[in-house]
Amino acid sequence: VETAIYRYVRGELPGRGRRRNKAHISSHIQIIKLSQKVRREAHRMKGLIRFRQTSEDQFMALIAPRYDVLPLVRRHFESRFADQAWIIYDTQRNYGLSYNRHETRELRFDHAIKEAVTGDDIADERLYRRLWQRYFTAVNITQRNNPKLHLRQLPRRYWRYLPEKQL
């Protein structure tokens, strides 16, 4: 990725004659494809992030996206859940976003604090998780089961943090 960005920027600098060679065009195509993948991942995260209620009346979601999409989904969650305090934490990159009903800040945990925050479930949260699982099994029509389509729409790498997959 870095090499493709370097080649593209080098080809766009003034004084280079603005010549278009194969390396410049291929690096441009690589950057476009990568940006599409990142946008798709951010769009998926908007629909696949599941919050869990913690004991401090705060909602926490753990994610492990392939790309760093937290800056891209921040505004969506600020407007969608403006009346709640929430944390979205990227376990791949060890940082997250914390919203306190007024502003969003970047935060970092060490492993012990993350386990302590995510480990405590309150009774309502367990009920919500059970209800979510019951809903998922109720809307599933076994005669129309299409595992290939299901895996294409919801890849296995997202299943770790989805309550409906924790049956």
Side-chain angles (χ1 to χ4, degrees), residues 83-96:
D83 61 336
Q84 301 171 358
W86 49 259
I87 295 173
I88 302 173
Y89 194 78
D90 187 344
T91 58
Q92 293 285 97
R93 288 154 194 87
N94 291 323
Y95 88 101

Side-chain angles (χ1 to χ4, degrees), residues 18-44:
R18 305 280 289 173
R19 64 179 202 271
R20 303 278 185 201
N21 56 15
K22 280 188 174 181
H24 177 72
I25 293 171
S26 68
S27 64
H28 185 72
I29 291 170
Q30 285 177 331
I31 291 171
I32 288 173
K33 286 182 180 180
L34 184 63
S35 69
Q36 287 174 342
K37 289 178 183 180
V38 172
R39 277 195 304 270
R40 281 190 200 115
E41 184 86 6
H43 182 70
R44 275 193 195 126

Side-chain angles (χ1 to χ4, degrees), residues 10-74:
R10 190 181 74 194
E12 290 294 319
L13 288 175
R16 301 283 301 171
R18 305 280 289 173
R19 64 179 202 271
R20 303 278 185 201
N21 56 15
K22 280 188 174 181
H24 177 72
I25 293 171
S26 68
S27 64
H28 185 72
I29 291 170
Q30 285 177 331
I31 291 171
I32 288 173
K33 286 182 180 180
L34 184 63
S35 69
Q36 287 174 342
K37 289 178 183 180
V38 172
R39 277 195 304 270
R40 281 190 200 115
E41 184 86 6
H43 182 70
R44 275 193 195 126
M45 285 295 119
K46 289 177 185 176
L48 293 177
I49 289 179
R50 305 285 193 259
F51 288 99
R52 296 173 54 181
Q53 190 172 8
T54 62
S55 58
E56 296 92 32
D57 196 30
Q58 190 168 29
F59 293 88
M60 174 139 188
L62 297 177
I63 60 173
R66 190 172 279 166
Y67 306 104
D68 185 12
V69 295
L70 281 181
L72 300 176
V73 299
R74 187 189 100 223

Side-chain angles (χ1 to χ4, degrees), residues 75-121:
R75 290 203 177 154
H76 169 78
F77 287 102
E78 284 174 349
S79 63
R80 178 99 167 123
F81 299 108
D83 61 336
Q84 301 171 358
W86 49 259
I87 295 173
I88 302 173
Y89 194 78
D90 187 344
T91 58
Q92 293 285 97
R93 288 154 194 87
N94 291 323
Y95 88 101
L97 299 176
S98 173
Y99 181 73
N100 63 1
R101 295 183 180 98
H102 304 292
E103 66 177 348
T104 304
R105 286 196 226 156
E106 187 176 310
L107 66 102
R108 296 191 183 275
F109 292 159
D110 65 350
H111 187 68
I113 295 174
K114 183 176 72 169
E115 291 299 320
V117 171
T118 59
D120 59 345
D121 270 351

Side-chain angles (χ1 to χ4, degrees), residues 117-132:
V117 171
T118 59
D120 59 345
D121 270 351
I122 58 175
D124 287 345
E125 176 57 34
R126 287 192 292 270
L127 173 65
Y128 296 148
R129 194 174 308 133
R130 263 199 323 272
L131 288 172
W132 187 255

